Amino acid sequence: MKLVRSAPLAFVTLCLSAMVLLSASTAQAQFTKNKALVRSVTGDATVTFGGKTSAVKKLMFIEEGSIVKTMAKSFVDLYLGDNGPFVRVTPNSDLRLDKLLFRKSNESVVIETSLNLRRGRILGQVKKTSPASIYEVVTPTMVAGIRGTTYDISADGLTKVFDGQVVVAYEKDGQVPTYLVNKNQKFDPTNQQVVPLDPSIDPTFEPQPLNPSETEQWQSVEPEPTVITDVSTTTKDAGFNDPTNSITSDSGTSFISPTESVAGSSTGIND
């Protein structure tokens, strides 16, 4: 186990957002809002955006800020392009696509991907990103910073890493120790330990490249560049400011808002 450092969870999310905001303002560049393409859907799943809820269908696009909800025995596979590329939403899960931003410059791509997992479990495959990029998974109890990784993350904080590296900032008793989880390790929230994965466990998520119909659909919509001056999370499109439309964990734990007044030290992610 490697314990990196401790800081309040709200401070961790503030640090992550500030890093991207600094990059955006310094470069005066255009960030583009990306979308997610549904590669496949098994069983019943819904997507909510702008106060409207509809069934998830294959090859449909899902907007940044949308909430994807799966029912029992249901799966949704998403393609995020530069912001992923692949995510699987497993049964009985609630996932909000908080941020899908990217900027192409000098043959490199800077991304900000933020996935808010309030219930259930997701599997993901993340390609190697540029140093200025951020890919994070936020749950009610933790923030996971991910780079070039195949991961398996649950809303309770259980984090498995099959390739690459993940930094987990896990909230407990008002403090947030930060753990480094390497390839073939997992973070166990029940005892806050990083331990080896069972050698008999293989990655359960091995997505294939896009097929021709998926490629054609993905290329049919070219996102328009937008000057992003504030890359903080926007929740109004998904209706998360409406108490009747909010999502909480089964334990009733609520996420600490990044806008709360906090004090802390470095997260240790880049230490």
Side-chain angles (χ1 to χ4, degrees):
M1 177 186 72
K2 183 175 182 181
L3 175 62
V4 181
R5 200 169 291 180
S6 178
L9 185 58
F11 185 77
V12 173
T13 57
L14 275 172
C15 287
L16 294 176
S17 295
M19 289 167 60
V20 175
L21 182 57
L22 178 62
S23 174
S25 60
T26 301
Q28 293 294 311
Q30 288 184 324
F31 278 80
T32 300
K33 285 189 176 182
N34 211 347
K35 298 181 180 182
L37 175 69
V38 177
R39 300 193 68 189
S40 65
V41 55
T42 302
D44 297 321
T46 62
V47 56
T48 300
F49 181 75
K52 298 181 180 180
T53 300
S54 58
V56 175
K57 298 181 180 179
K58 184 177 180 179
L59 295 184
M60 75 181 293
F61 284 101
I62 296 180
E63 301 281 348
E64 178 192 76
S66 298
I67 307 164
V68 178
K69 179 180 290 187
T70 56
M71 312 308 169
K73 300 180 181 180
S74 300
F75 293 87
V76 175
D77 282 349
L78 301 175
Y79 177 74
L80 309 182
D82 288 320
N83 288 92
F86 302 108
V87 171
R88 170 172 292 172
V89 188
T90 70
N92 296 315
S93 298
D94 294 314
L95 178 69
R96 186 178 68 200
L97 306 180
D98 272 350
K99 299 178 189 176
L100 298 175
L101 301 176
F102 70 92
R103 171 171 58 87
K104 295 184 177 182
S105 175
N106 298 327
E107 299 183 356
S108 67
V109 180
V110 177
I111 69 165
E112 184 185 8
T113 301
S114 183
L115 307 178
N116 197 321
L117 179 64
R118 310 313 295 268
R119 183 173 68 101
R121 171 173 165 252
I122 60 173
L123 314 175
Q125 186 181 87
V126 184
K127 61 186 176 183
K128 186 176 181 180
T129 58
S130 65
S133 294
I134 290 178
Y135 185 114
E136 65 179 13
V137 176
V138 180
T139 80
T141 58
M142 75 156 194
V143 177
I146 297 167
R147 285 192 182 276
T149 304
T150 301
Y151 68 82
D152 180 334
I153 294 178
S154 299
D156 64 1
L158 178 63
T159 301
K160 300 177 182 179
V161 179
F162 299 103
D163 189 28
Q165 195 174 73
V166 173
V167 174
V168 173
Y170 184 79
E171 182 185 21
K172 182 176 175 61
D173 299 329
Q175 294 297 313
V176 187
T178 308
Y179 304 86
L180 183 63
V181 189
N182 291 304
K183 179 179 178 180
N184 295 327
Q185 292 183 331
K186 70 176 180 180
F187 170 74
D188 186 348
T190 60
N191 54 18
Q192 294 84 59
Q193 296 288 324
V194 176
V195 297
L197 284 174
D198 185 333
S200 65
I201 298 177
D202 292 325
T204 55
F205 187 50
E206 297 180 346
Q208 299 298 312
L210 295 186
N211 61 39
S213 62
E214 292 169 336
T215 300
E216 181 179 2
Q217 179 72 344
W218 180 254
Q219 294 176 345
S220 68
V221 177
E222 185 68 26
E224 290 295 329
T226 303
V227 176
I228 305 295
T229 58
D230 182 2
V231 295
S232 59
T233 301
T234 300
T235 60
K236 62 181 181 180
D237 288 341
F240 263 72
N241 292 325
D242 181 355
T244 62
N245 205 23
S246 62
I247 295 176
T248 58
S249 66
D250 293 335
S251 63
T253 303
S254 60
F255 176 65
I256 298 176
S257 169
T259 60
E260 293 181 13
S261 177
V262 296
S265 58
S266 168
T267 64
I269 292 177
N270 292 318
D271 288 359

